[in-house]
Amino acid sequence: MESSFAFLDSGFFTKAEVYPGSLGTFRYRFKREGWTGSGRIQAWVYENTSFELAENIETETFDWTEEGVAALRSWLDQKLAERGTEPYCIPYPPASQKESP
């Protein structure tokens, strides 16, 4: 089975210093430091909310090399399997506006 993160390679991280993304309700965020070959990439995974409001955050740091990016893809696949994902949707009405019987 191909990784959901097969698009990640060391060149991907030259596009931006910080990159947020999601697969449905599975959220992730990357931040790179330094340069290809000698830098580091920090990755976070969290619940279906904004990064600033997330409470259940897991993080790991990887070398910015092809081997480090391969380890990052494996880590993300593992976290996706553990946390799961569902298609994203906005609940309506919001839980705070539901009437109680």
Side-chain angles (χ1 to χ4, degrees):
M1 181 163 116
E2 186 173 331
S3 169
S4 296
F5 302 96
F7 65 93
L8 293 177
D9 62 14
S10 63
F12 174 85
F13 296 99
T14 63
K15 297 177 183 182
E17 184 177 338
V18 175
Y19 181 89
S22 65
L23 291 171
T25 56
F26 179 78
R27 305 290 179 123
Y28 56 90
R29 181 180 178 105
F30 308 125
K31 181 178 182 202
R32 67 166 167 84
E33 297 174 357
W35 303 101
T36 304
S38 62
R40 312 272 287 160
I41 300 166
Q42 186 167 9
W44 295 267
V45 295
Y46 51 99
E47 69 266 12
N48 189 29
T49 188
S50 70
F51 182 71
E52 293 75 18
L53 296 176
E55 294 178 1
N56 186 14
I57 300 174
E58 294 180 73
T59 186
E60 191 72 43
T61 303
F62 302 88
D63 291 333
W64 190 2
T65 62
E66 287 300 333
E67 295 81 15
V69 173
L72 169 59
R73 283 192 304 267
S74 295
W75 183 77
L76 289 168
D77 285 330
Q78 174 190 349
K79 295 302 167 187
L80 179 59
E82 290 173 5
R83 291 173 170 252
T85 187
E86 296 178 14
Y88 178 76
C89 69
I90 298 172
Y92 187 82
S96 62
Q97 293 182 0
K98 289 184 180 176
E99 295 180 26
S100 49

